[in-house]
Amino acid sequence: MAKERGLLSPEDFAQLQKYMEYSNQKVSDVLKLFENEKMAKYLQGDAIGYEGFEQFLKIYLEVDNVPHHLSLALFHSFHTDHCLKENVRKENVVCLSDVSCYFSLLEGGRPEDKLEFTFKLYDTDGNGILDSSEVERIILQMTRVAEYLDWDVSELRPIFQEMMKEIDYDGSGSVSLAEWVRAGATTVPLLVLLGLEMTLKDDGQHMWRPKRFPRPVYCNLCELSIGLGKQGLSCNLCKYTVHDQCAMKALPCEVSTYAKSRKDIGVQSHVWVRGGCESGRCDRCQKKIRTYHSLTGLHCVWCHLEIHDDCLQAVGSECDCGLLRDHILPPSSIYPSVLASEQERKHSKTSQKTTDDSNLCISEALRINPVSNTHPLLVFVNPKSGGKQGLRVLWKFQYILNPRQVINLLKDGPEQGLRFFKDVPDSRILVCGGDGTVGWILEAIDKINLPVVPPVAVLPLGTGNDLARCLRWGGGYEGENLAKILRELEMSTVVYIDRWSLEVIPQQTEEKTDPVPFQIINNYFSIGVDASIAHRFHIMREKYPEKFNSRMKNKLWYFEFATSESIFSTCKKLEESLTVEICGKPLDLSNMSLEGIAVLNIPSMHGGSNLWGDIKRPHGDSCEINQALGTTAKVITDPDILKTCVQDPSDKRLEVVGLEGAIEMGQIYTKLKSAGHRLAKCSEITIHTIKTLPMQIDGEPWIQTPCTIKITHKNQMPMLMGPPPRSSNFFGFFSCPT
């Protein structure tokens, strides 16, 4: 067991992280307990003995019995003498401040703080520099972590030695704290190599999910039938299938997500797993694979070939990743950055000088060199979108792609995946979720400031999905074959969507107001009747979620709220409660009786309603049509010209539409009426309100007190337009160049 200070084993650290995942305690809460009489007895100044340390772990990890070997290893890793009294023996105590600092950093500290703390752990003599013996101990720890990650250690030790020399920027023969932090914040993944970030571990664990089988299936372990219609367990990553009772004895998962050695970089080999031949036909000889009497056949987890056992020799060892090779990052394309060539490392250092990224040391731990002439796909999935659809989509993508390409947004958020892909050429992004999820990803792309922004496609989950409808990806995923959707993505084209900044400046008032949900408009913004209906729907769903668990129920509730709104007309004579300026010019609303005003960026709202309406237009793209009509001006209010204006979400202009009430909205939704009242087309809008009104951005409603609203152009985002459907429709508005 590791007893040297700073040498906690990777296995122990991984076990510690698992305990921390299930604990809700914070270090600050535990420290308060040491101030009361019951726990104060364990304190010796700022130090605690082993018994007090055990009590700290039990409370912090919320477990009754921490494994003795883990507790002891942690205790020895904290040995220090800077906080001890003269009559206290060093080997019997550790410094409580060091312990609390360590766990605080693991809770989510900045990389710079983690680097400073690890420096102090290895600086055993406390002189503020790492000398040659201390550097050797660091290299030893890196080697042990590499062994735990299954890397080829034989080729790594000289690389680690050279890397530590490079950290010594001034060539003094020792490493200062400044040099250490500088290295960890640029291109050297120190926290990963020291075992403080274990995100790289391919641990051989299967990702089981319960599954019922509509056809005969045999257990990969005992090779007995699971039973037609009976439930077993299937691994999401490799389709290794077992009885429930066989899971504990199953062989390790064969899926490795990245290359652990230089010899594995660049050339991908087949990874075969017995069984799982769902097509029932051999891809080599085209004959049937009979699965009715035993576990037969092999399938490759990367190219998904299915073959007879006897056909294995004829297939060869090299894998081309099959029909979906354009999207897949095979393990041979991903490798630890420490295995990169000297030229690659120099290029990385140059690129990082202009990058401000607090998590750089983690994202740089792996490097990606994709197969030439491919478009690696980064998939973001919101598991909660569309009921259980999101979770099923997540499982399916984890099998057909490299699991490192598939990000669970609720677990990991978008930033980690975007950083991982930031230097991947010709990559694409697929967002699986609703309009809110798409907005989340686009906002994250803005914040990370990628050197090249990949185009974004949408797999719509749930209801609404206005942006997906406009991009020809449909109104909602219905369980279609994901491989088919990915092949359609290969035929997609890049278009650019305008995005708009929204600033809300409230007036001084004692009234309470809701928080504004977003500061960016991707789809639309509205005030009045439609926002009122959406707000009532939102409040009711938040209060009684069980009443909104199906699309049909949602539509019925929406119809009920719309009917109520048409009776009570809560937003009647809206034009008297606000003024609208378009590019600094007032918009005349005096001759109208409105209950709603909508500002449109795309031709879809409320799950497919086109408030601007279609027009019969001449042949040609929308840009040519608008130019021919003389409609390239920043402001258009002439009714005759507005009748012929074509919506173009990439023309850096918005459409303004007036609504007479809930009945008119319902007529537009059911196609009984073609559109609302076209008021203007413009590039900047300012709205002044004099009373509290319902508003919404991209389907998210809120109640807003009197305010000034400013809408200005923010940027354009590259999106992927799905291939044209066989039958013609009105979606032809993205052809104008920007």
Side-chain angles (χ1 to χ4, degrees), residues 663-682:
I663 294 177
E664 184 183 41
M665 278 188 57
Q667 290 173 333
I668 297 172
Y669 185 77
T670 56
K671 312 299 184 188
L672 295 176
K673 188 173 181 179
S674 60
H677 296 271
R678 297 184 180 185
L679 301 178
K681 193 175 178 75
C682 59

Side-chain angles (χ1 to χ4, degrees), residues 493-513:
T493 55
V494 178
V495 297
Y496 286 83
I497 291 281
D498 291 323
R499 301 173 70 234
W500 302 83
S501 297
L502 180 136
E503 182 183 7
V504 178
I505 306 170
Q507 297 179 14
Q508 295 295 331
T509 175
E510 295 182 359
E511 291 185 76
K512 290 185 178 180
T513 186

Side-chain angles (χ1 to χ4, degrees), residues 311-368:
C311 293
L312 179 59
Q313 294 301 320
V315 172
S317 62
E318 189 171 335
C319 178
D320 67 356
C321 293
L323 296 176
L324 300 179
R325 66 177 65 89
D326 189 51
H327 308 284
I328 295 176
L329 272 178
S332 58
S333 294
I334 309 173
Y335 52 93
S337 57
V338 293
L339 296 180
S341 65
E342 184 177 351
Q343 184 177 358
E344 286 179 306
R345 289 200 294 269
K346 286 182 179 178
H347 172 74
S348 179
K349 286 181 180 180
T350 302
S351 65
Q352 299 312 330
K353 288 179 181 179
T354 58
T355 303
D356 181 16
D357 191 339
S358 61
N359 286 321
L360 200 54
C361 49
I362 301 170
S363 65
E364 285 294 301
L366 291 177
R367 189 154 302 188
I368 300 175

